[in-house]
Amino acid sequence: MAFASYQKAARTLAGVAHALADAHDVGDELTAEAQAMASNILSDPGYLPSVAARAWRWAPEMKDIAETLRAAGLPADMAEAAVAVMSRWEGDKDQYDLELTDVLSHLRSQSD
């Protein structure tokens, strides 16, 4: 279930990103940008402390992304869900030296 939660959501999010890029006629640019990325996000959880440390900056960006999606007639739910997840890392602001176990536990520490 953990793998499926990532795999299905990532592909769904890719669909939304491509639809947004298409709505703004920048599909080729999105594809080129994605091809330039060399990362194995799911296979390298060691990067997650840096994500948690930056979540305070990313959450407002995701709110802007949600508004952009809505303006293009696309679903904003996944962007809004990302904001909800990032809010659980608010206390980790700029703490790049956190242990992975702490970062993961912060996602479980609050109820919706």
Side-chain angles (χ1 to χ4, degrees):
M1 295 308 285
F3 180 73
S5 72
Y6 171 78
Q7 204 65 347
K8 302 325 188 244
R11 281 162 173 68
T12 302
L13 185 55
V16 172
H18 280 283
L20 181 60
D22 184 66
H24 292 276
D25 203 26
V26 292
D28 291 341
E29 290 84 347
L30 173 63
T31 300
E33 190 72 27
Q35 289 173 342
M37 295 177 65
S39 65
N40 297 311
I41 294 172
L42 188 59
S43 66
D44 181 17
Y47 75 95
L48 289 172
S50 72
V51 173
R54 293 178 285 173
W56 68 273
R57 285 192 344 240
W58 290 3
E61 293 173 14
M62 291 306 297
K63 288 178 183 178
D64 292 342
I65 291 166
E67 290 178 25
T68 303
L69 290 166
R70 276 192 290 279
L74 295 165
D77 303 6
M78 292 184 84
E80 292 167 342
V83 172
V85 171
M86 290 175 194
S87 73
R88 295 186 178 204
W89 282 328
E90 283 179 5
D92 299 340
K93 179 179 179 179
D94 295 332
Q95 295 185 50
Y96 291 91
D97 59 347
L98 288 173
E99 294 293 325
L100 177 60
T101 54
D102 293 331
V103 167
L104 298 178
S105 72
H106 296 162
L107 291 179
R108 291 189 296 268
S109 66
Q110 303 172 5
S111 61
D112 291 329

